[in-house]
Amino acid sequence: MKSYRKELHFHTPTRRAFLNITDKVEAALKESGIQEGLCLVNAKNITASVFINDDEAGLHQDFEAWLEKLAPEKPYSQYHHNGYEDNGDAHLKRTIMGREVVVAITKGELDFGTWEQIFYGEFDGKRDKRVLVKIIGE
Ligand code: ZN
């Protein structure tokens, strides 16, 4: 069995962002040379997510509005976590949107369902963040 590991780096100019990282994961898969196996992609920070959904701008606006209803950024004082930090909302948003995805690899390609794309969800940006790509197979 082969194993491949790569870290992706992000530093968004805004506090929140959704980035389509499918091309970066596909590039990692090509580098790995693995034809059959599994590809794990996970955020390495607890205020960011990796998730799969549609690359459609309206949906991304809907995610933003929905998450702000569930865990509004402000007032900062509403969160017990916000003693020395102001990112209590970002931890909650990350938990809802998820830490990682696993995608099957078939014939050297990510074996997606219809319209599936991989996204990095940033909820406390303007700082260095990392995503792990781990691929196993043969
Ligand atoms: Zn925090």
Side-chain angles (χ1 to χ4, degrees):
M1 188 193 76
K2 279 201 276 188
S3 164
Y4 172 94
R5 182 186 192 279
K6 183 177 195 176
E7 283 190 8
L8 307 177
H9 297 263
F10 300 94
H11 189 127
T12 64
T14 52
R15 181 176 172 107
R16 286 189 292 280
F18 295 127
L19 307 176
N20 187 333
I21 61 170
T22 308
D23 57 344
K24 295 179 192 298
V25 178
E26 285 173 341
L29 176 56
K30 294 293 174 250
E31 285 170 28
S32 78
I34 291 171
Q35 293 292 305
E36 297 290 326
L38 293 172
C39 177
L40 166 77
V41 187
N42 71 266
K44 288 185 75 74
N45 300 87
I46 52 179
T47 53
S49 288
V50 173
F51 63 96
I52 289 179
N53 219 299
D54 193 1
D55 194 0
E56 196 279 308
L59 178 64
H60 296 179
Q61 287 181 296
D62 292 338
F63 276 136
E64 164 67 16
W66 179 64
L67 290 166
E68 272 299 288
K69 265 188 233 167
L70 289 170
E73 177 187 340
K74 295 171 183 169
Y76 295 125
S77 61
Q78 72 190 302
Y79 298 107
H80 297 293
H81 179 67
N82 288 346
Y84 299 95
E85 292 191 288
D86 68 0
N87 64 4
D89 69 304
H91 289 277
L92 298 177
K93 287 165 176 150
R94 179 269 169 95
T95 302
I96 293 164
M97 296 304 285
R99 170 183 182 266
E100 78 278 307
V101 301
V102 177
V103 182
I105 301 159
T106 305
K107 295 178 180 166
E109 306 283 345
L110 296 171
D111 201 338
F112 283 128
T114 307
W115 300 114
E116 285 188 338
Q117 295 280 285
I118 304 171
F119 292 90
Y120 173 72
E122 178 61 81
F123 306 113
D124 186 24
K126 306 180 195 176
R127 63 183 77 185
D128 293 337
K129 298 288 192 73
R130 294 176 299 151
V131 164
L132 174 68
V133 180
K134 182 89 182 194
I135 306 171
I136 57 171
E138 51 190 60

